[in-house]
Amino acid sequence: MSPDRGAQQAPESFVSFGEQGAQLTYGSYLRLPQLLDAQHLESDPPAHDELLFITIHQVYELWFQQLLHEVVAARDAMTAGRLWWAQHLLQRVHVIERVLVQQVDVLETMTPQDFLEFRQRLAPASGFQSVQFRELEFLSGAKDPAYVERFRGLTAEERVRLDRRLEEPSLWDAFVQVLADAGLPSSDDGQVAASLRQVAHDRSTHAGVWALAEALLQHDELAASWRARHVVMVERMIGVKSGTGGSSGAGYLRSRLPLQYYPLLWELRSQL
């Protein structure tokens, strides 16, 4: 009997892993020609470290895009009562945020002198203009409508995105809903604070709520770690010079260091 005889024939839709006859390649799937053609130096003659500067910031924006994807999903999971899934997604957010902090080490291999070779070419572009970063802050709970008014370089599409983030529920809004769904008072900050104390003192009853509270606090702490690491890097590179976008540079960044997404979670520590 032929070894093939009686065997089921593979359906026509069967996917064979391998290069023979493949229609989708590694490069085409990742859009590598477009991706690797997105780094265009402005300096002339080309400054060696400008490619590093562009690459680092493009990678940041890719991670911001992923963080937005995860934060929105975590918020929606909390709203739907899928607390385990929300916690899982927030754990992924934490890992990515640690990568963001560590990326500063790569940028700091560039000396101030090397940065100055092309810095003047950046104006008036500035990290202040990162729309995705502001979306993350808004979604996390730090909504600042004044930013939309201060930044005059927004495109119509970017303004729509930011306005939408200002209107839609944040992670904190979803967490307050989690408290309400658990039968815990949450109508105002006073009630939320009291409910948080109750959860903290009875973690066995409110294990899922407590785990989410800790996950949100970790997100807040890692965001603060990135801001702190970023401002020190800026001071190392340009001292107290003004930012390329016209801001006060390190002074503005230092003014953002006290920002807390979830002050009630931090205050809880003093009340335990």
Side-chain angles (χ1 to χ4, degrees):
M1 175 185 266
S2 168
D4 293 330
R5 194 170 177 182
Q8 288 187 343
Q9 186 176 1
E12 292 183 4
S13 61
F14 176 75
V15 176
S16 176
F17 288 92
E19 296 182 357
Q20 294 78 11
Q23 296 182 2
L24 187 67
T25 67
Y26 176 82
S28 63
Y29 177 65
L30 296 178
R31 305 292 194 271
L32 288 184
Q34 299 93 319
L35 180 65
L36 299 179
D37 188 43
Q39 299 77 38
H40 297 277
L41 277 59
E42 295 290 334
S43 54
D44 185 20
H48 178 82
D49 280 4
E50 189 177 2
L51 178 61
L52 173 68
F53 186 86
I54 292 172
T55 299
I56 285 287
H57 287 84
Q58 287 182 343
V59 170
Y60 268 126
E61 290 297 327
L62 287 172
W63 280 129
F64 292 161
Q65 177 178 251
Q66 187 66 38
L67 285 170
L68 286 169
H69 181 66
E70 305 300 348
V71 165
V72 168
R75 178 202 62 192
D76 294 347
M78 281 192 277
T79 302
R82 302 176 68 204
L83 305 192
W84 67 271
W85 181 240
Q87 185 185 356
H88 169 73
L89 294 174
L90 288 171
Q91 293 294 336
R92 180 179 294 165
V93 166
H94 302 158
V95 175
I96 295 172
E97 288 173 328
R98 291 188 181 97
V99 171
L100 297 185
V101 175
Q102 292 168 350
Q103 276 187 188
V104 177
D105 291 339
V106 182
L107 195 56
E108 282 192 335
T109 64
M110 178 175 61
T111 68
Q113 298 93 318
D114 295 331
F115 182 39
L116 289 173
E117 285 187 31
F118 62 90
R119 181 176 184 257
Q120 67 275 12
R121 295 280 186 169
L122 304 180
S126 167
F128 176 81
Q129 298 164 346
S130 172
V131 173
Q132 288 196 118
F133 182 74
R134 296 301 170 180
E135 286 186 87
L136 277 169
E137 287 197 330
F138 293 177
L139 278 169
S140 295
K143 295 186 177 183
D144 181 11
Y147 169 80
V148 182
E149 301 306 320
R150 288 196 304 268
F151 181 27
R152 302 299 181 187
L154 287 173
T155 66
E157 187 271 338
E158 288 171 337
R159 180 175 288 273
V160 167
R161 278 164 49 194
L162 288 172
D163 286 340
R164 184 178 73 246
R165 298 303 188 190
L166 287 171
E167 293 297 325
E168 67 186 72
S170 67
L171 281 174
W172 181 250
D173 295 326
F175 179 70
V176 171
Q177 183 61 50
V178 167
L179 293 176
D181 292 343
L184 296 163
S186 57
S187 297
D188 54 40
D189 284 355
Q191 289 190 357
V192 169
S195 294
L196 288 173
R197 290 194 297 272
Q198 181 178 340
V199 168
H201 289 298
D202 190 2
R203 288 174 290 175
S204 59
T205 301
H206 304 289
V209 177
W210 174 253
L212 272 179
E214 289 292 277
L216 289 176
L217 193 77
Q218 185 71 58
H219 169 47
D220 200 347
E221 181 178 348
L222 288 167
S225 296
W226 186 85
R227 289 192 297 271
R229 187 73 179 87
H230 184 224
V231 69
V232 172
M233 180 271 293
V234 169
E235 290 173 334
R236 175 173 175 167
M237 287 292 173
I238 64 170
V240 295
K241 292 187 181 78
S242 298
T244 51
S247 75
S248 59
Y252 166 75
L253 295 174
R254 283 209 169 273
S255 74
R256 301 285 291 173
L257 293 182
L259 173 66
Q260 292 179 335
Y261 293 154
Y262 315 116
L264 291 182
L265 292 180
W266 292 103
E267 292 171 12
L268 175 64
R269 270 62 193 165
S270 301
Q271 300 167 358
L272 292 178

